[in-house]
PDB file of all heavy atoms in Angstrom:
ATOM      1  N   PRO A1063      20.403 121.278 329.940  1.00  0.00           N
ATOM      2  CA  PRO A1063      19.163 120.644 329.483  1.00  0.00           C
ATOM      3  C   PRO A1063      19.400 119.695 328.322  1.00  0.00           C
ATOM      4  O   PRO A1063      20.171 119.988 327.404  1.00  0.00           O
ATOM      5  CB  PRO A1063      18.316 121.846 329.041  1.00  0.00           C
ATOM      6  CG  PRO A1063      19.327 122.847 328.566  1.00  0.00           C
ATOM      7  CD  PRO A1063      20.525 122.668 329.454  1.00  0.00           C
ATOM      8  N   MET A1064      18.716 118.548 328.349  1.00  0.00           N
ATOM      9  CA  MET A1064      18.847 117.556 327.279  1.00  0.00           C
ATOM     10  C   MET A1064      17.460 117.011 326.949  1.00  0.00           C
ATOM     11  O   MET A1064      16.635 116.792 327.841  1.00  0.00           O
ATOM     12  CB  MET A1064      19.787 116.427 327.692  1.00  0.00           C
ATOM     13  CG  MET A1064      21.129 116.904 328.221  1.00  0.00           C
ATOM     14  SD  MET A1064      22.335 115.586 328.488  1.00  0.00           S
ATOM     15  CE  MET A1064      22.978 115.405 326.827  1.00  0.00           C
ATOM     16  N   PHE A1065      17.235 116.767 325.661  1.00  0.00           N
ATOM     17  CA  PHE A1065      15.916 116.358 325.184  1.00  0.00           C
ATOM     18  C   PHE A1065      16.005 114.962 324.581  1.00  0.00           C
ATOM     19  O   PHE A1065      16.657 114.751 323.555  1.00  0.00           O
ATOM     20  CB  PHE A1065      15.397 117.374 324.167  1.00  0.00           C
ATOM     21  CG  PHE A1065      15.309 118.764 324.745  1.00  0.00           C
ATOM     22  CD1 PHE A1065      16.379 119.644 324.641  1.00  0.00           C
ATOM     23  CD2 PHE A1065      14.182 119.169 325.427  1.00  0.00           C
ATOM     24  CE1 PHE A1065      16.316 120.919 325.192  1.00  0.00           C
ATOM     25  CE2 PHE A1065      14.109 120.442 325.990  1.00  0.00           C
ATOM     26  CZ  PHE A1065      15.177 121.308 325.869  1.00  0.00           C
ATOM     27  N   VAL A1066      15.355 114.013 325.246  1.00  0.00           N
ATOM     28  CA  VAL A1066      15.466 112.606 324.877  1.00  0.00           C
ATOM     29  C   VAL A1066      14.318 112.208 323.958  1.00  0.00           C
ATOM     30  O   VAL A1066      13.152 112.464 324.258  1.00  0.00           O
ATOM     31  CB  VAL A1066      15.426 111.693 326.123  1.00  0.00           C
ATOM     32  CG1 VAL A1066      15.901 110.297 325.755  1.00  0.00           C
ATOM     33  CG2 VAL A1066      16.267 112.259 327.242  1.00  0.00           C
ATOM     34  N   CYS A1067      14.658 111.548 322.853  1.00  0.00           N
ATOM     35  CA  CYS A1067      13.638 111.057 321.928  1.00  0.00           C
ATOM     36  C   CYS A1067      13.837 109.561 321.696  1.00  0.00           C
ATOM     37  O   CYS A1067      14.879 109.007 322.042  1.00  0.00           O
ATOM     38  CB  CYS A1067      13.694 111.831 320.611  1.00  0.00           C
ATOM     39  SG  CYS A1067      15.228 111.614 319.693  1.00  0.00           S
ATOM     40  N   PRO A1068      12.868 108.884 321.097  1.00  0.00           N
ATOM     41  CA  PRO A1068      12.995 107.442 320.846  1.00  0.00           C
ATOM     42  C   PRO A1068      14.045 107.134 319.782  1.00  0.00           C
ATOM     43  O   PRO A1068      14.490 108.020 319.048  1.00  0.00           O
ATOM     44  CB  PRO A1068      11.588 107.057 320.350  1.00  0.00           C
ATOM     45  CG  PRO A1068      10.700 108.180 320.719  1.00  0.00           C
ATOM     46  CD  PRO A1068      11.551 109.401 320.715  1.00  0.00           C
ATOM     47  N   GLY A1069      14.408 105.861 319.709  1.00  0.00           N
ATOM     48  CA  GLY A1069      15.305 105.391 318.654  1.00  0.00           C
ATOM     49  C   GLY A1069      16.739 105.253 319.096  1.00  0.00           C
ATOM     50  O   GLY A1069      17.079 105.369 320.276  1.00  0.00           O
ATOM     51  N   THR A1070      17.612 105.026 318.135  1.00  0.00           N
ATOM     52  CA  THR A1070      19.053 104.953 318.365  1.00  0.00           C
ATOM     53  C   THR A1070      19.763 105.794 317.307  1.00  0.00           C
ATOM     54  O   THR A1070      19.280 105.962 316.184  1.00  0.00           O
ATOM     55  CB  THR A1070      19.566 103.504 318.275  1.00  0.00           C
ATOM     56  OG1 THR A1070      19.220 102.952 317.004  1.00  0.00           O
ATOM     57  CG2 THR A1070      18.970 102.647 319.390  1.00  0.00           C
ATOM     58  N   LYS A1071      20.893 106.339 317.686  1.00  0.00           N
ATOM     59  CA  LYS A1071      21.713 107.171 316.802  1.00  0.00           C
ATOM     60  C   LYS A1071      20.934 108.356 316.229  1.00  0.00           C
ATOM     61  O   LYS A1071      21.167 108.778 315.094  1.00  0.00           O
ATOM     62  CB  LYS A1071      22.326 106.333 315.688  1.00  0.00           C
ATOM     63  CG  LYS A1071      23.260 105.241 316.195  1.00  0.00           C
ATOM     64  CD  LYS A1071      23.909 104.477 315.065  1.00  0.00           C
ATOM     65  CE  LYS A1071      24.867 103.413 315.614  1.00  0.00           C
ATOM     66  NZ  LYS A1071      25.512 102.627 314.530  1.00  0.00           N
ATOM     67  N   VAL A1072      20.001 108.878 317.031  1.00  0.00           N
ATOM     68  CA  VAL A1072      19.217 110.035 316.604  1.00  0.00           C
ATOM     69  C   VAL A1072      19.807 111.294 317.234  1.00  0.00           C
ATOM     70  O   VAL A1072      20.012 111.362 318.442  1.00  0.00           O
ATOM     71  CB  VAL A1072      17.736 109.895 317.021  1.00  0.00           C
ATOM     72  CG1 VAL A1072      16.952 111.145 316.598  1.00  0.00           C
ATOM     73  CG2 VAL A1072      17.124 108.639 316.417  1.00  0.00           C
ATOM     74  N   ARG A1073      20.084 112.277 316.413  1.00  0.00           N
ATOM     75  CA  ARG A1073      20.606 113.558 316.890  1.00  0.00           C
ATOM     76  C   ARG A1073      20.118 114.644 315.935  1.00  0.00           C
ATOM     77  O   ARG A1073      20.662 114.831 314.851  1.00  0.00           O
ATOM     78  CB  ARG A1073      22.128 113.535 316.964  1.00  0.00           C
ATOM     79  CG  ARG A1073      22.755 114.808 317.540  1.00  0.00           C
ATOM     80  CD  ARG A1073      24.268 114.633 317.675  1.00  0.00           C
ATOM     81  NE  ARG A1073      24.961 115.874 317.946  1.00  0.00           N
ATOM     82  CZ  ARG A1073      25.092 116.435 319.147  1.00  0.00           C
ATOM     83  NH1 ARG A1073      24.567 115.838 320.204  1.00  0.00           N
ATOM     84  NH2 ARG A1073      25.749 117.575 319.304  1.00  0.00           N
ATOM     85  N   GLN A1074      19.088 115.361 316.333  1.00  0.00           N
ATOM     86  CA  GLN A1074      18.444 116.347 315.481  1.00  0.00           C
ATOM     87  C   GLN A1074      18.467 117.700 316.165  1.00  0.00           C
ATOM     88  O   GLN A1074      17.915 117.869 317.250  1.00  0.00           O
ATOM     89  CB  GLN A1074      16.999 115.927 315.185  1.00  0.00           C
ATOM     90  CG  GLN A1074      16.229 116.915 314.340  1.00  0.00           C
ATOM     91  CD  GLN A1074      14.792 116.475 314.114  1.00  0.00           C
ATOM     92  OE1 GLN A1074      14.409 115.348 314.455  1.00  0.00           O
ATOM     93  NE2 GLN A1074      13.989 117.340 313.537  1.00  0.00           N
ATOM     94  N   GLU A1075      19.073 118.686 315.543  1.00  0.00           N
ATOM     95  CA  GLU A1075      19.205 120.003 316.158  1.00  0.00           C
ATOM     96  C   GLU A1075      17.857 120.695 316.268  1.00  0.00           C
ATOM     97  O   GLU A1075      17.014 120.602 315.366  1.00  0.00           O
ATOM     98  CB  GLU A1075      20.170 120.885 315.370  1.00  0.00           C
ATOM     99  CG  GLU A1075      20.481 122.199 316.091  1.00  0.00           C
ATOM    100  CD  GLU A1075      21.600 122.996 315.442  1.00  0.00           C
ATOM    101  OE1 GLU A1075      21.650 123.035 314.205  1.00  0.00           O
ATOM    102  OE2 GLU A1075      22.413 123.562 316.184  1.00  0.00           O
ATOM    103  N   VAL A1076      17.670 121.401 317.373  1.00  0.00           N
ATOM    104  CA  VAL A1076      16.478 122.216 317.589  1.00  0.00           C
ATOM    105  C   VAL A1076      16.743 123.595 316.990  1.00  0.00           C
ATOM    106  O   VAL A1076      17.638 124.313 317.463  1.00  0.00           O
ATOM    107  CB  VAL A1076      16.145 122.327 319.094  1.00  0.00           C
ATOM    108  CG1 VAL A1076      14.930 123.220 319.302  1.00  0.00           C
ATOM    109  CG2 VAL A1076      15.902 120.940 319.684  1.00  0.00           C
ATOM    110  N   SER A1077      15.998 123.953 315.969  1.00  0.00           N
ATOM    111  CA  SER A1077      16.308 125.168 315.213  1.00  0.00           C
ATOM    112  C   SER A1077      16.263 126.434 316.063  1.00  0.00           C
ATOM    113  O   SER A1077      17.027 127.379 315.834  1.00  0.00           O
ATOM    114  CB  SER A1077      15.338 125.305 314.032  1.00  0.00           C
ATOM    115  OG  SER A1077      13.998 125.392 314.484  1.00  0.00           O
ATOM    116  N   SER A1078      15.377 126.463 317.061  1.00  0.00           N
ATOM    117  CA  SER A1078      15.240 127.660 317.894  1.00  0.00           C
ATOM    118  C   SER A1078      16.313 127.770 318.964  1.00  0.00           C
ATOM    119  O   SER A1078      16.458 128.812 319.604  1.00  0.00           O
ATOM    120  CB  SER A1078      13.856 127.671 318.561  1.00  0.00           C
ATOM    121  OG  SER A1078      13.695 126.518 319.354  1.00  0.00           O
ATOM    122  N   MET A1079      17.073 126.683 319.188  1.00  0.00           N
ATOM    123  CA  MET A1079      18.129 126.678 320.200  1.00  0.00           C
ATOM    124  C   MET A1079      19.392 126.071 319.606  1.00  0.00           C
ATOM    125  O   MET A1079      19.665 124.883 319.810  1.00  0.00           O
ATOM    126  CB  MET A1079      17.673 125.910 321.443  1.00  0.00           C
ATOM    127  CG  MET A1079      16.562 126.591 322.203  1.00  0.00           C
ATOM    128  SD  MET A1079      16.173 125.786 323.794  1.00  0.00           S
ATOM    129  CE  MET A1079      15.281 124.344 323.224  1.00  0.00           C
ATOM    130  N   PRO A1080      20.158 126.843 318.849  1.00  0.00           N
ATOM    131  CA  PRO A1080      21.377 126.322 318.213  1.00  0.00           C
ATOM    132  C   PRO A1080      22.293 125.625 319.217  1.00  0.00           C
ATOM    133  O   PRO A1080      22.558 126.146 320.293  1.00  0.00           O
ATOM    134  CB  PRO A1080      22.034 127.583 317.643  1.00  0.00           C
ATOM    135  CG  PRO A1080      20.890 128.528 317.416  1.00  0.00           C
ATOM    136  CD  PRO A1080      19.937 128.270 318.556  1.00  0.00           C
ATOM    137  N   GLY A1081      22.757 124.441 318.838  1.00  0.00           N
ATOM    138  CA  GLY A1081      23.633 123.671 319.713  1.00  0.00           C
ATOM    139  C   GLY A1081      22.901 122.690 320.604  1.00  0.00           C
ATOM    140  O   GLY A1081      23.519 121.846 321.248  1.00  0.00           O
ATOM    141  N   ILE A1082      21.577 122.799 320.654  1.00  0.00           N
ATOM    142  CA  ILE A1082      20.755 121.880 321.453  1.00  0.00           C
ATOM    143  C   ILE A1082      20.071 120.902 320.506  1.00  0.00           C
ATOM    144  O   ILE A1082      19.580 121.289 319.441  1.00  0.00           O
ATOM    145  CB  ILE A1082      19.699 122.645 322.274  1.00  0.00           C
ATOM    146  CG1 ILE A1082      20.386 123.627 323.237  1.00  0.00           C
ATOM    147  CG2 ILE A1082      18.810 121.680 323.044  1.00  0.00           C
ATOM    148  CD1 ILE A1082      21.253 122.968 324.281  1.00  0.00           C
ATOM    149  N   HIS A1083      20.035 119.626 320.896  1.00  0.00           N
ATOM    150  CA  HIS A1083      19.511 118.600 320.020  1.00  0.00           C
ATOM    151  C   HIS A1083      18.457 117.724 320.709  1.00  0.00           C
ATOM    152  O   HIS A1083      18.486 117.556 321.921  1.00  0.00           O
ATOM    153  CB  HIS A1083      20.636 117.676 319.534  1.00  0.00           C
ATOM    154  CG  HIS A1083      21.685 118.368 318.727  1.00  0.00           C
ATOM    155  ND1 HIS A1083      22.666 119.158 319.312  1.00  0.00           N
ATOM    156  CD2 HIS A1083      21.910 118.398 317.387  1.00  0.00           C
ATOM    157  CE1 HIS A1083      23.462 119.644 318.357  1.00  0.00           C
ATOM    158  NE2 HIS A1083      23.022 119.207 317.192  1.00  0.00           N
ATOM    159  N   GLN A1084      17.566 117.181 319.890  1.00  0.00           N
ATOM    160  CA  GLN A1084      16.789 116.019 320.308  1.00  0.00           C
ATOM    161  C   GLN A1084      17.690 114.818 320.077  1.00  0.00           C
ATOM    162  O   GLN A1084      18.265 114.676 318.994  1.00  0.00           O
ATOM    163  CB  GLN A1084      15.539 115.860 319.454  1.00  0.00           C
ATOM    164  CG  GLN A1084      14.496 116.922 319.625  1.00  0.00           C
ATOM    165  CD  GLN A1084      13.271 116.594 318.793  1.00  0.00           C
ATOM    166  OE1 GLN A1084      12.901 115.438 318.620  1.00  0.00           O
ATOM    167  NE2 GLN A1084      12.634 117.621 318.272  1.00  0.00           N
ATOM    168  N   GLN A1085      17.800 113.941 321.095  1.00  0.00           N
ATOM    169  CA  GLN A1085      18.732 112.827 320.962  1.00  0.00           C
ATOM    170  C   GLN A1085      18.158 111.554 321.567  1.00  0.00           C
ATOM    171  O   GLN A1085      17.440 111.604 322.566  1.00  0.00           O
ATOM    172  CB  GLN A1085      20.052 113.155 321.671  1.00  0.00           C
ATOM    173  CG  GLN A1085      20.745 114.397 321.147  1.00  0.00           C
ATOM    174  CD  GLN A1085      22.017 114.680 321.895  1.00  0.00           C
ATOM    175  OE1 GLN A1085      23.093 114.197 321.542  1.00  0.00           O
ATOM    176  NE2 GLN A1085      21.929 115.463 322.950  1.00  0.00           N
ATOM    177  N   SER A1086      18.513 110.439 320.961  1.00  0.00           N
ATOM    178  CA  SER A1086      18.181 109.150 321.549  1.00  0.00           C
ATOM    179  C   SER A1086      19.107 108.892 322.730  1.00  0.00           C
ATOM    180  O   SER A1086      20.129 109.578 322.902  1.00  0.00           O
ATOM    181  CB  SER A1086      18.301 108.043 320.503  1.00  0.00           C
ATOM    182  OG  SER A1086      19.555 108.105 319.847  1.00  0.00           O
ATOM    183  N   ALA A1087      18.767 107.903 323.544  1.00  0.00           N
ATOM    184  CA  ALA A1087      19.495 107.665 324.792  1.00  0.00           C
ATOM    185  C   ALA A1087      20.988 107.423 324.570  1.00  0.00           C
ATOM    186  O   ALA A1087      21.828 107.893 325.351  1.00  0.00           O
ATOM    187  CB  ALA A1087      18.876 106.488 325.535  1.00  0.00           C
ATOM    188  N   ASP A1088      21.353 106.702 323.501  1.00  0.00           N
ATOM    189  CA  ASP A1088      22.766 106.416 323.257  1.00  0.00           C
ATOM    190  C   ASP A1088      23.551 107.691 322.956  1.00  0.00           C
ATOM    191  O   ASP A1088      24.697 107.852 323.390  1.00  0.00           O
ATOM    192  CB  ASP A1088      22.913 105.406 322.114  1.00  0.00           C
ATOM    193  CG  ASP A1088      22.244 105.885 320.828  1.00  0.00           C
ATOM    194  OD1 ASP A1088      21.136 106.445 320.897  1.00  0.00           O
ATOM    195  OD2 ASP A1088      22.833 105.700 319.746  1.00  0.00           O
ATOM    196  N   GLN A1089      22.927 108.637 322.246  1.00  0.00           N
ATOM    197  CA  GLN A1089      23.583 109.905 321.945  1.00  0.00           C
ATOM    198  C   GLN A1089      23.629 110.819 323.172  1.00  0.00           C
ATOM    199  O   GLN A1089      24.575 111.595 323.356  1.00  0.00           O
ATOM    200  CB  GLN A1089      22.846 110.605 320.798  1.00  0.00           C
ATOM    201  CG  GLN A1089      22.851 109.834 319.501  1.00  0.00           C
ATOM    202  CD  GLN A1089      24.255 109.629 318.958  1.00  0.00           C
ATOM    203  OE1 GLN A1089      24.999 110.576 318.761  1.00  0.00           O
ATOM    204  NE2 GLN A1089      24.622 108.376 318.735  1.00  0.00           N
ATOM    205  N   ILE A1090      22.602 110.711 324.002  1.00  0.00           N
ATOM    206  CA  ILE A1090      22.576 111.469 325.259  1.00  0.00           C
ATOM    207  C   ILE A1090      23.807 111.128 326.096  1.00  0.00           C
ATOM    208  O   ILE A1090      24.475 112.015 326.657  1.00  0.00           O
ATOM    209  CB  ILE A1090      21.288 111.162 326.057  1.00  0.00           C
ATOM    210  CG1 ILE A1090      20.076 111.813 325.394  1.00  0.00           C
ATOM    211  CG2 ILE A1090      21.428 111.602 327.515  1.00  0.00           C
ATOM    212  CD1 ILE A1090      19.904 113.284 325.648  1.00  0.00           C
ATOM    213  N   VAL A1091      24.133 109.854 326.183  1.00  0.00           N
ATOM    214  CA  VAL A1091      25.281 109.416 326.971  1.00  0.00           C
ATOM    215  C   VAL A1091      26.568 110.039 326.446  1.00  0.00           C
ATOM    216  O   VAL A1091      27.410 110.509 327.223  1.00  0.00           O
ATOM    217  CB  VAL A1091      25.387 107.882 326.983  1.00  0.00           C
ATOM    218  CG1 VAL A1091      26.712 107.433 327.591  1.00  0.00           C
ATOM    219  CG2 VAL A1091      24.234 107.278 327.768  1.00  0.00           C
ATOM    220  N   GLU A1092      26.725 110.070 325.130  1.00  0.00           N
ATOM    221  CA  GLU A1092      27.936 110.638 324.546  1.00  0.00           C
ATOM    222  C   GLU A1092      28.065 112.123 324.877  1.00  0.00           C
ATOM    223  O   GLU A1092      29.158 112.608 325.193  1.00  0.00           O
ATOM    224  CB  GLU A1092      27.958 110.405 323.032  1.00  0.00           C
ATOM    225  CG  GLU A1092      28.094 108.945 322.631  1.00  0.00           C
ATOM    226  CD  GLU A1092      29.292 108.274 323.311  1.00  0.00           C
ATOM    227  OE1 GLU A1092      30.407 108.831 323.251  1.00  0.00           O
ATOM    228  OE2 GLU A1092      29.094 107.212 323.924  1.00  0.00           O
ATOM    229  N   GLU A1093      26.967 112.857 324.787  1.00  0.00           N
ATOM    230  CA  GLU A1093      27.044 114.277 325.119  1.00  0.00           C
ATOM    231  C   GLU A1093      27.255 114.482 326.619  1.00  0.00           C
ATOM    232  O   GLU A1093      27.904 115.446 327.034  1.00  0.00           O
ATOM    233  CB  GLU A1093      25.803 115.020 324.653  1.00  0.00           C
ATOM    234  CG  GLU A1093      25.946 116.523 324.809  1.00  0.00           C
ATOM    235  CD  GLU A1093      24.914 117.326 324.054  1.00  0.00           C
ATOM    236  OE1 GLU A1093      23.913 116.737 323.588  1.00  0.00           O
ATOM    237  OE2 GLU A1093      25.103 118.547 323.940  1.00  0.00           O
ATOM    238  N   CYS A1094      26.720 113.582 327.424  1.00  0.00           N
ATOM    239  CA  CYS A1094      26.927 113.669 328.869  1.00  0.00           C
ATOM    240  C   CYS A1094      28.405 113.556 329.226  1.00  0.00           C
ATOM    241  O   CYS A1094      28.867 114.171 330.190  1.00  0.00           O
ATOM    242  CB  CYS A1094      26.134 112.584 329.582  1.00  0.00           C
ATOM    243  SG  CYS A1094      24.390 112.976 329.845  1.00  0.00           S
ATOM    244  N   ARG A1095      29.152 112.784 328.463  1.00  0.00           N
ATOM    245  CA  ARG A1095      30.595 112.682 328.706  1.00  0.00           C
ATOM    246  C   ARG A1095      31.248 114.055 328.534  1.00  0.00           C
ATOM    247  O   ARG A1095      32.131 114.451 329.304  1.00  0.00           O
ATOM    248  CB  ARG A1095      31.224 111.673 327.746  1.00  0.00           C
ATOM    249  CG  ARG A1095      30.719 110.245 327.910  1.00  0.00           C
ATOM    250  CD  ARG A1095      31.501 109.295 327.015  1.00  0.00           C
ATOM    251  NE  ARG A1095      30.820 108.026 326.860  1.00  0.00           N
ATOM    252  CZ  ARG A1095      30.866 107.023 327.742  1.00  0.00           C
ATOM    253  NH1 ARG A1095      31.574 107.172 328.844  1.00  0.00           N
ATOM    254  NH2 ARG A1095      30.208 105.892 327.520  1.00  0.00           N
ATOM    255  N   GLU A1096      30.825 114.778 327.512  1.00  0.00           N
ATOM    256  CA  GLU A1096      31.366 116.120 327.284  1.00  0.00           C
ATOM    257  C   GLU A1096      30.939 117.071 328.390  1.00  0.00           C
ATOM    258  O   GLU A1096      31.744 117.887 328.862  1.00  0.00           O
ATOM    259  CB  GLU A1096      30.901 116.646 325.929  1.00  0.00           C
ATOM    260  CG  GLU A1096      31.454 118.015 325.583  1.00  0.00           C
ATOM    261  CD  GLU A1096      30.997 118.513 324.235  1.00  0.00           C
ATOM    262  OE1 GLU A1096      30.255 117.787 323.542  1.00  0.00           O
ATOM    263  OE2 GLU A1096      31.373 119.652 323.871  1.00  0.00           O
ATOM    264  N   VAL A1097      29.676 116.977 328.796  1.00  0.00           N
ATOM    265  CA  VAL A1097      29.171 117.830 329.873  1.00  0.00           C
ATOM    266  C   VAL A1097      29.998 117.608 331.139  1.00  0.00           C
ATOM    267  O   VAL A1097      30.410 118.564 331.815  1.00  0.00           O
ATOM    268  CB  VAL A1097      27.678 117.538 330.142  1.00  0.00           C
ATOM    269  CG1 VAL A1097      27.207 118.259 331.401  1.00  0.00           C
ATOM    270  CG2 VAL A1097      26.825 117.964 328.946  1.00  0.00           C
ATOM    271  N   GLU A1098      30.265 116.365 331.456  1.00  0.00           N
ATOM    272  CA  GLU A1098      31.066 116.039 332.634  1.00  0.00           C
ATOM    273  C   GLU A1098      32.467 116.620 332.524  1.00  0.00           C
ATOM    274  O   GLU A1098      33.014 117.177 333.490  1.00  0.00           O
ATOM    275  CB  GLU A1098      31.136 114.520 332.805  1.00  0.00           C
ATOM    276  CG  GLU A1098      31.893 114.067 334.044  1.00  0.00           C
ATOM    277  CD  GLU A1098      32.040 112.560 334.094  1.00  0.00           C
ATOM    278  OE1 GLU A1098      32.534 111.979 333.107  1.00  0.00           O
ATOM    279  OE2 GLU A1098      31.666 111.969 335.118  1.00  0.00           O
TER     280      GLU A1098
END
């Protein structure tokens, strides 16, 4: 699961789910590389 938010270079951890972040599209792509 990934949570997309507006902006660029945004990466904010969700306190209730350690390791999960709200991220802008550019950061989503970077984490997707790791997921792959």
Side-chain angles (χ1 to χ4, degrees):
M1064 309 188 83
F1065 302 91
V1066 195
C1067 64
T1070 57
K1071 298 183 179 179
V1072 178
R1073 184 175 168 83
Q1074 178 182 351
E1075 188 171 39
V1076 178
S1077 60
S1078 59
M1079 292 188 285
I1082 300 297
H1083 298 77
Q1084 292 184 35
Q1085 301 179 89
S1086 51
D1088 57 319
Q1089 298 298 305
I1090 287 281
V1091 170
E1092 293 307 309
E1093 188 165 13
C1094 278
R1095 297 186 196 278
E1096 182 179 359
V1097 171
E1098 183 185 54

